[in-house]
Amino acid sequence: MPGKYTITYFPVRGRCEAMRLLLADQGLEWTEDVVTGEIWQKGDLKKSCAFGQLPRFQDGDFMLHQSNAILRHLARNHGLYGQDAREAALLDMVNDGVEDLRVKYGRLIYQNYDDGKAAYIEALPGELRPFENLLAKNNGGKAFIVGKQVSFADYNLLDILHVHLVLAPDCLASFPLLAGYVQRFNAQPLLKAYLESDARKKRPINGNGKQ
């Protein structure tokens, strides 16, 4: 039976993959409403979106836009927003850091891939180091990015690390804690099943074929 959640998005991983990781790892069901370029160009769907862009997320009769707002909504509903207000604030901080990196990645992919890839990869250690440092401060980097339980920020961080491991396969070579973090999450049974699913493998990372 399909779940009460519906993701409306283009046929890519993009800004919906972190929420898919969350849903899969939490054993939650969802359906995909795939939007083709032809449908989007008609304009009706765009006009119905709060900010004229996807993703759109439906939770029963509740409709929500903006990928980070969707992640936080799921976090609040499924106990993935830390154990107290301080942890929640730290999770917001981490998630904002992931967003900063995601924006830079998006600019590379869609605006400057051929000319900018080498310089981007050269600068990447400086972008990843803060996450390694934060991980080291929490239980020696052996568990989650904040606190003692998984959070929405973990799934967003995991996704941005996944896409960078495709862009630069050795990017975590100097970051053993982040490398171990990815390995631990990838081995989680429900998450592993999703990562190895045909649906996920067939879904490109980005909409222009560059990764």
Side-chain angles (χ1 to χ4, degrees), residues 108 112-123 166-169 211:
L108 170 71
N112 195 33
Y113 187 83
D114 294 330
D115 294 333
K117 182 179 178 180
Y120 183 94
I121 292 175
E122 184 177 358
V166 173
L167 177 72
Q211 57 184 33

Side-chain angles (χ1 to χ4, degrees), residues 102-152:
R102 191 178 296 280
V103 169
K104 293 174 184 177
Y105 172 80
R107 287 177 184 151
L108 170 71
I109 294 296
Y110 290 103
Q111 299 176 17
N112 195 33
Y113 187 83
D114 294 330
D115 294 333
K117 182 179 178 180
Y120 183 94
I121 292 175
E122 184 177 358
L124 188 55
E127 302 289 346
L128 296 175
R129 172 61 63 184
F131 298 109
E132 178 85 357
N133 292 342
L134 287 168
L135 199 55
K137 293 177 182 178
N138 188 41
N139 194 32
K142 297 177 181 178
F144 309 108
I145 193 66
V146 171
K148 297 179 180 179
Q149 61 187 33
V150 68
S151 71
F152 76 99

Side-chain angles (χ1 to χ4, degrees), residues 13-24:
R13 298 178 196 172
R15 281 190 167 270
C16 280
E17 196 61 14
M19 66 186 77
R20 293 186 184 110
L21 297 176
L22 183 158
L23 292 167

Side-chain angles (χ1 to χ4, degrees), residues 17-185:
E17 196 61 14
M19 66 186 77
R20 293 186 184 110
L21 297 176
L22 183 158
L23 292 167
D25 194 42
Q26 294 297 311
L28 301 167
E29 296 181 343
W30 76 96
T31 57
E32 298 271 354
D33 181 11
V34 180
V35 178
T36 64
E38 182 180 359
I39 292 172
W40 186 247
Q41 289 302 319
K42 290 181 179 178
D44 293 338
L45 177 58
K46 182 179 178 69
K47 291 177 183 177
S48 74
C49 296
F51 295 95
Q53 59 191 20
L54 296 174
R56 183 178 72 188
F57 187 81
Q58 188 168 351
D59 177 354
D61 61 357
F62 179 60
M63 201 77 73
L64 192 61
H65 298 87
Q66 298 292 89
S67 57
N68 285 298
I70 295 165
L71 279 175
R72 289 185 169 97
H73 171 69
L74 288 168
R76 293 185 188 99
N77 286 349
H78 297 286
L80 304 171
Y81 219 136
Q83 294 183 313
D84 56 34
R86 287 193 176 189
E87 283 194 4
L90 289 171
L91 290 171
D92 285 337
M93 179 187 75
V94 171
N95 203 65
D96 286 358
V98 172
E99 176 64 14
D100 288 345
L101 182 53
R102 191 178 296 280
V103 169
K104 293 174 184 177
Y105 172 80
R107 287 177 184 151
L108 170 71
I109 294 296
Y110 290 103
Q111 299 176 17
N112 195 33
Y113 187 83
D114 294 330
D115 294 333
K117 182 179 178 180
Y120 183 94
I121 292 175
E122 184 177 358
L124 188 55
E127 302 289 346
L128 296 175
R129 172 61 63 184
F131 298 109
E132 178 85 357
N133 292 342
L134 287 168
L135 199 55
K137 293 177 182 178
N138 188 41
N139 194 32
K142 297 177 181 178
F144 309 108
I145 193 66
V146 171
K148 297 179 180 179
Q149 61 187 33
V150 68
S151 71
F152 76 99
D154 284 300
Y155 296 114
N156 209 11
L157 176 56
L158 180 64
D159 177 51
I160 204 67
L161 293 175
H162 278 164
V163 300
H164 280 90
L165 283 166
V166 173
L167 177 72
D170 296 327
C171 68
L172 298 186
S174 299
F175 303 108
L177 297 181
L178 285 174
Y181 177 85
V182 171
Q183 291 173 359
R184 287 194 305 277
F185 269 98

